[in-house]
Amino acid sequence: MRQVSIIGAGMTKFGEHWEKSLRDLVTEAAVKAVADAKLDGGEIEAIYGGCMAPGLFAGQEHVGALIADQLGMNPIPSTRVEAACASGGLALRNAYLAIASGAYDIVAVGGVEKMTEVTTEQTGVILGGAGDQEWELFMGATFPALYALMAKRHMHDYGTTEEQMAACSVKNHANAVHNPYAQFQRAITIDDVMKSGYVADPLKLLDCSPITDGASAVILCATEKARKYTDLPISILASSQASDTLALAHRGSLTEIRATKVAGEKALKQAGLSQKDIQAAEVHDCFSIAEVMAIEDLGFFKKGTGGKVSANGETALNSKLSINPSGGLKACGHPVGATGVKQAVEATVQLRGEAGKRQVSNLKNFMTHNVGGSGATVAVHLFARGD
Ligand code: COA
């Protein structure tokens, strides 16, 4: 297998983009990434694009072809990758594997979702399709409800409190204040979270990631050729993926995401690293409890202590481990198909030392963790500066 590097990265601002279509969002992110890689576009041999539900959100299917068409890149192969909220992470992984195998030297990876064309109720049903339609959504269990079940069980088993979960949201909003691409560039307090309305007990509005439009893109290149385009390539040290049951009821535990544990361990093994070698991670905080479980399941903190360490400030920017320096899904926003690629954009910006006031200091190795649905698909990637 060949080594793979990122040579360019770009994204749109995440938020409500009434004035921009799916095509506009894709174009903006792709043009930024291609320019960042100092390419003219003709060098790109293939495209992989993560997108969860363009037909249901925006009436547009066949998004792989749309991306190549819109960018004027026909006739190169262009493939849409779907794995619910992990669509972007899997697009990245498929592009990584294509270069590692020797099939291509330069590949563009995109992620996009245009979610605000439909009502919140419709969004809940569309996203609910990423769970088990028959056993969960049909019975009324939307995503906030599924993660609320996990939160209740975590609280029961480990004494995790609503205030401890709220601390994840407060920290992520604090980081997003310094991210010009974030949907919510505003700080919040524990009190704000506790006083926000319940969406699904115990999760309140400010425990939830929002509904977001946005796109993100990175350009991957075989490491042996990366220096031709950039003085500062970002190495992809590892790429892993794991699967689990769609329905929560079919799992052995409600307080862990087994696919996260498996994918996290595989990635660290591939890179020859351990948790103590990682200084920062973008983890999939679609709900505050999801961040609590992620930092436990990735092995950074002991099971059951994720809430406590978050409340103690151990995951704040430049503390013990910088979690979600971008603001995470909670505050940077969560255009579902774009999130996994946006995490790679943040890894690139951070490892280049270009993150400004949200810069993680003494950064060597960066992890990204992207979850599809309630944990049926997980992708983990590890990145480092240089080649
Ligand atoms: N965090 C912070 N503020 C939020 C927010 C969030 N998650 N969602 C909405 N807001 C804000 C809006 O900006 C708006 O503020 P304003 O009045 O100052 O303009 C206000 O709250 C009301 O927004 P609205 O769009 O009416 O919210 P909503 O009730 O339609 O949606 C949720 C709120 C929580 C239901 C929706 O964001 C949601 O479904 N989130 C979860 C998405 C999800 O499941 N993703 C997949 C995870 S696997």
Side-chain angles (χ1 to χ4, degrees), residues 265-309:
E265 280 163 18
K266 273 165 81 176
L268 287 168
K269 191 169 174 207
Q270 184 188 347
L273 298 175
S274 76
Q275 284 83 357
K276 65 178 174 4
D277 299 311
I278 311 295
Q279 294 80 35
E282 286 283 310
V283 305
H284 197 96
D285 60 315
C286 48
F287 299 95
S288 53
I289 184 62
E291 178 166 318
V292 168
M293 292 192 300
I295 60 176
E296 297 170 351
D297 295 338
L298 291 167
F300 292 121
F301 297 98
K302 196 165 158 267
K303 193 76 215 163
T305 65
K308 196 169 132 215
V309 300

Side-chain angles (χ1 to χ4, degrees), residues 193-212:
V193 184
M194 296 304 290
K195 286 187 177 147
S196 62
Y198 278 100
V199 175
D201 179 17
L203 302 178
K204 297 166 283 297
L205 176 72
L206 293 177
D207 288 294
C208 302
S209 59
I211 294 166
T212 312

